[in-house]
Amino acid sequence: MANIIIGTAGHIDHGKTALIHALNGFEGDSTNEEKQRGITIDLSFSNLSFGQRNIAFIDVPGHEKLIKNMITGAFGFDYVMLVISAKEGIMPQTIEHIQILELLGVKNLIIVITKKDLVDENFLEEQEKSILDYLKSYNFDIKFIKRVSVYDENSINDLKNALFSINSNQKESENFFRFYIDRVFSVKGIGTVVTGTVLGKKIELEEKVFLPHLQKETKIKNIQVHNQNVLEANISNRAALNLSNIDKDLLKRGNIISKKGFLRGFNSIDISFNCLKDKKLNHNQIYTLFIGAKKLDVKVLLFDSLTTLEKGFATIKADENIYSIFGEKLILRNQNETIAGGIVLNPIIDPMNKNQKTRLLSNLAKKDFNEAFKVLLEAHKKGLGVISSTQRFALSHEEALDFAKNLEDVFIDEKELVIYPNSTKNEIEIFIKNIYNKNQYALLSASSIALRATWASLGFIQEALSDLVKIGFLIKEENLYKSANIKKDIKKDLEDIFLNRLKSEDLTPTAPYNIYDDLDIDRKLGDDILKSLTAKKQVIRLQHNLFIHFESLNKAVKTMKDIIKKDGFIEIFNFKQRYDLSRKYLVAYLDYLDNFSDIKKVENRRVFA
């Protein structure tokens, strides 16, 4: 079904609610009635269907409430139906709504002149001309203008036909599912229900969704679109979602639902803004931010040195995380006064200096993502994740990779979706060289190096290792790399190094992984060496991570038996009196003593059998 969301706007008492009633019979909102209906759409919303076309209307009567809900609901509009009384024409609230719509970037406008029965034809003609003249100063795409009276069925039917003739939703498809909650309630026997408008990709029944503010995943138990159970909800659908195992008290208006891994929250975001005529934003002042269905108080920090600005860049700081995306529209108000509209340019805050930030925002404002990538790579020398591009640039991973491929002097790890400046490859190569210069017997794989350079992807490390092989610094043997200065097989030398080290450490041998790291060898290779020494009985494995030289173990056994001869028994207490070892070693040696036929265990003591 083709879905369109039409928001209503206009001055109080110009007939918005009466017009909706004439179009679809909708009587107005009632929270109690809504809850009685089960999983339903918030009764501030209604719809009109014809065949496979459906129109959802968003209309909230009341002056102050209308302003607030118009702002928080306008993000979901495909079209706006501007309702103007034929008798009164454009009034102050009409102007405020028009200004807000332009600030939010709503372009598609339908004009309905109501109460035509209260004026004569000449006055009606003049009123229409006056309205169109006024709107010329704004950047709207006026689809059509209709004159109606709720008492004239023909005019209402004419409007219906015109509404059903407009194109389906005009929203740009996003790369992932988003859904701002505008209502939340609980229904007995059903559970928590949230209502809102689907943004981005569709959501399906039984699909998992993520609540970023709770960092919790849940499942969709049921979906309703205009009171009908459905298998999926698509972009521009007004939908009710029944969430599994989520307490309604944990949710509120303005919370966002998405898919796991797509949205990160930050308590500050960077925006561009434009003020209404004769309005200015003040630096370091508190304003009310409206973004999606969310409303919160924020501090505005202007980028320029001026204390007030009519347009420019600013940082928004909040006391809670904001989960926004590039290009998202917002409104800033001071008490009951609309001041400015803005666009989210930088929803992910990065550590960068003011010069870098200004360049970044300038490029983002122009949607010059190539230059934006370059600035970000200056700040992310150790890798910029392409996976964040869905939020950072509103680009798919494929689109972000296409932009990245146009960049010069970068390495792109397409598997792990990370971009590195080539200058950083020099850094990882120096890191690897230092390992081999320090230890001529170093024998490592790319995976082993990744455990040390955790910021570098496996593909990036592999690229650096390949370069070092090309210049003759390293030699590759299977998946391991050794110094080009070592021509012989060094595994036998490494066995001797292992054996001598364990012998020198005597009764307190180092854990294997620590030995591997100290000797700069691959963990699998280290395991193979210990297996070889164990098979030769030169090293004995006592526990998962405890290997001891056979001579040291024989000495420990002789010592323990001498203690039994003297004290009549051995336990942790008298063992530790002779040898100040940690409990890990004491227990391991005592357990090993149980392997001898002349020893038996009595409770916690070992004695001669």
Side-chain angles (χ1 to χ4, degrees):
M1 178 175 280
N3 294 281
I4 303 168
I5 293 181
I6 297 179
T8 63
H11 194 73
I12 188 169
D13 292 334
H14 275 207
K16 296 183 300 297
T17 304
L19 178 61
I20 296 298
H21 179 258
L23 288 168
N24 63 10
F26 178 62
E27 293 289 350
D29 73 326
S30 167
T31 302
N32 289 332
E33 181 183 348
E34 175 182 7
K35 292 183 178 180
Q36 290 169 5
R37 290 167 64 190
I39 306 177
T40 61
I41 301 302
D42 183 330
L43 286 186
S44 297
F45 304 87
S46 63
N47 71 298
L48 179 66
S49 295
F50 179 74
Q52 290 300 304
R53 296 180 69 80
N54 183 77
I55 296 172
F57 295 105
I58 301 179
D59 171 51
V60 184
H63 182 273
E64 290 301 325
K65 191 178 179 184
L66 180 58
I67 290 292
K68 181 184 72 173
N69 285 280
M70 197 191 112
I71 292 171
T72 58
F75 72 93
F77 295 169
D78 294 312
Y79 296 83
V80 171
M81 188 160 64
L82 184 61
V83 179
I84 303 172
S85 165
K87 188 174 182 180
E88 295 187 337
I90 291 176
M91 296 290 284
Q93 195 180 331
T94 317
I95 294 171
E96 184 173 12
H97 288 185
I98 289 169
Q99 291 172 337
I100 290 170
L101 292 170
E102 182 163 73
L103 290 175
L104 288 170
V106 177
K107 301 294 184 185
N108 299 311
L109 200 65
I110 296 163
I111 301 171
V112 178
I113 302 176
T114 57
K115 305 184 182 183
K116 73 169 187 171
D117 54 306
L118 300 182
V119 299
D120 61 37
E121 190 66 26
N122 289 334
F123 189 86
L124 194 57
E125 288 285 348
E126 287 299 318
Q127 197 68 274
E128 179 175 324
K129 183 177 183 302
S130 175
I131 292 168
L132 291 174
D133 285 343
Y134 179 81
L135 290 172
K136 284 179 181 178
S137 60
Y138 293 91
N139 189 27
F140 292 118
D141 181 3
I142 299 174
K143 298 301 180 181
F144 59 81
I145 184 167
K146 293 292 181 181
R147 308 167 185 177
V148 303
S149 167
V150 295
Y151 305 109
D152 179 358
E153 188 175 347
N154 289 333
S155 68
I156 295 299
N157 287 334
D158 183 46
L159 175 59
K160 281 185 185 180
N161 292 332
L163 290 173
F164 282 123
S165 71
I166 60 179
N167 293 331
S168 299
N169 84 76
Q170 302 291 304
K171 293 189 186 75
E172 291 184 19
S173 180
E174 296 176 10
N175 293 298
F176 59 98
F177 167 75
R178 290 197 309 141
F179 182 98
Y180 275 107
I181 296 172
D182 53 44
R183 290 293 303 276
V184 55
F185 53 92
S186 182
V187 180
K188 188 175 181 179
I190 294 176
T192 297
V193 177
V194 296
T195 67
T197 301
V198 177
L199 304 173
K201 292 191 179 298
K202 68 181 180 180
I203 191 68
E204 296 181 351
L205 192 65
E206 299 296 320
E207 197 169 351
K208 287 184 178 180
V209 293
F210 191 67
L211 299 164
H213 75 286
L214 299 177
Q215 290 295 294
K216 186 173 181 178
E217 206 166 28
T218 184
K219 189 167 70 172
I220 305 295
K221 292 197 297 183
N222 194 16
I223 304 174
Q224 281 196 356
V225 174
H226 302 299
N227 308 327
Q228 300 294 318
N229 291 330
V230 295
L231 296 176
E232 63 183 33
N234 291 283
I235 186 170
S236 283
N237 276 155
R238 285 289 311 162
L241 308 179
N242 183 197
L243 304 180
S244 175
N245 299 319
I246 295 292
D247 188 335
K248 78 175 184 66
D249 292 333
L250 297 175
L251 304 175
K252 62 182 181 181
R253 184 187 186 104
N255 289 152
I256 197 164
I257 304 175
S258 184
K259 300 304 292 287
K260 192 170 184 179
F262 282 94
L263 280 179
R264 286 189 287 161
F266 297 86
N267 62 6
S268 66
I269 58 174
D270 298 319
I271 68 166
S272 64
F273 68 89
N274 276 290
C275 294
L276 292 177
K277 186 178 180 182
D278 299 324
K279 306 288 185 186
K280 290 185 179 181
L281 279 182
N282 296 318
H283 177 67
N284 204 29
Q285 181 171 318
I286 301 297
Y287 292 90
T288 302
L289 169 71
F290 293 84
I291 183 167
K294 193 171 186 64
K295 171 189 174 184
L296 71 162
D297 289 336
V298 297
K299 182 180 287 187
V300 173
L301 303 175
L302 302 178
F303 266 63
D304 293 81
S305 57
L306 299 175
T307 56
T308 62
L309 269 182
E310 295 175 355
K311 65 178 181 178
F313 299 135
T315 295
I316 301 289
K317 287 191 173 291
D319 291 331
E320 61 181 274
N321 280 344
I322 300 172
Y323 297 89
S324 60
I325 66 168
F326 172 80
E328 193 165 10
K329 305 294 195 304
L330 55 91
I331 292 288
L332 291 167
R333 299 192 94 207
N334 186 8
Q335 298 179 348
N336 292 323
E337 185 180 24
T338 301
I339 305 297
I343 300 174
V344 176
L345 294 181
N346 190 28
I348 299 176
I349 298 304
D350 303 286
M352 57 176 58
N353 60 45
K354 185 176 179 180
N355 176 267
Q356 289 174 323
K357 179 66 71 71
T358 302
R359 287 161 49 215
L360 174 65
L361 297 183
S362 296
N363 289 315
L364 289 174
K366 297 180 292 186
K367 291 190 176 182
D368 189 340
F369 297 128
N370 278 348
E371 291 301 315
F373 266 121
K374 291 178 184 178
V375 178
L376 286 167
L377 283 169
E378 291 177 18
H380 291 268
K381 293 186 182 298
K382 292 191 174 180
L384 175 65
V386 177
I387 197 167
S388 66
S389 296
T390 48
Q391 181 178 8
R392 191 190 289 278
F393 303 131
L395 298 174
S396 68
H397 296 161
E398 293 76 14
E399 290 169 331
L401 280 173
D402 285 341
F403 275 106
K405 288 173 183 176
N406 290 326
L407 300 175
E408 297 178 353
D409 298 323
V410 298
F411 172 80
I412 305 169
D413 188 332
E414 294 191 37
K415 183 177 180 181
E416 296 191 35
L417 295 173
V418 185
I419 309 169
Y420 299 91
N422 277 340
S423 58
T424 306
K425 190 158 65 170
N426 297 332
E427 186 176 330
I428 193 69
E429 288 178 3
I430 290 170
F431 177 82
I432 295 169
K433 282 182 176 180
N434 287 339
I435 294 174
Y436 286 88
N437 288 332
K438 182 187 75 172
N439 183 358
Q440 64 173 335
Y441 288 107
L443 197 58
L444 293 168
S445 64
S447 299
S448 297
I449 294 171
L451 293 172
R452 302 174 184 216
T454 54
W455 57 269
S457 72
L458 200 60
F460 189 48
I461 290 170
Q462 190 66 63
E463 180 76 6
L465 286 168
S466 297
D467 284 352
L468 292 174
V469 169
K470 288 177 184 176
I471 65 173
F473 181 81
L474 294 177
I475 294 174
K476 184 178 181 182
E477 292 184 351
E478 296 179 355
N479 69 324
L480 300 178
Y481 295 83
K482 71 177 184 180
S483 171
N485 294 326
I486 306 294
K487 303 301 181 185
K488 61 179 180 178
D489 183 358
I490 61 175
K491 291 183 181 178
K492 178 62 176 68
D493 289 347
L494 286 171
E495 283 191 9
D496 293 340
I497 291 170
F498 263 66
L499 198 58
N500 290 333
R501 173 162 177 162
L502 290 175
K503 186 174 182 178
S504 67
E505 291 175 343
D506 199 23
L507 298 181
T508 57
T510 306
Y513 283 178
N514 290 334
I515 296 177
Y516 306 163
D517 289 344
D518 291 345
L519 296 180
D520 298 311
I521 63 169
D522 181 71
R523 291 191 172 187
K524 184 179 183 306
L525 173 63
D527 288 345
D528 290 343
I529 290 172
L530 282 176
K531 286 178 185 177
S532 174
L533 293 173
T534 301
K536 297 174 185 175
K537 306 295 185 184
Q538 293 175 297
V539 169
I540 310 299
R541 182 180 186 180
L542 297 182
Q543 291 178 353
H544 168 69
N545 63 345
L546 180 57
F547 292 80
I548 185 170
H549 193 280
F550 78 98
E551 291 179 359
S552 298
L553 185 58
N554 290 339
K555 182 175 72 172
V557 170
K558 182 178 183 306
T559 297
M560 289 187 289
K561 288 185 175 181
D562 287 344
I563 292 173
I564 296 174
K565 287 178 183 178
K566 184 174 182 181
D567 296 353
F569 67 90
I570 188 171
E571 61 180 5
I572 288 179
F573 179 74
N574 63 347
F575 193 2
K576 189 170 181 63
Q577 284 183 318
R578 268 77 163 191
Y579 288 90
D580 188 21
L581 302 174
S582 71
R583 184 179 179 85
K584 176 184 77 171
Y585 294 116
L586 295 173
V587 170
Y589 299 143
L590 288 172
D591 287 346
Y592 182 74
L593 200 59
D594 295 337
N595 294 317
F596 292 85
S597 59
D598 60 339
I599 300 294
K600 67 178 181 179
K601 185 177 181 181
V602 180
E603 295 181 347
N604 291 325
R605 294 181 172 184
R606 271 78 174 178
V607 298
F608 285 126

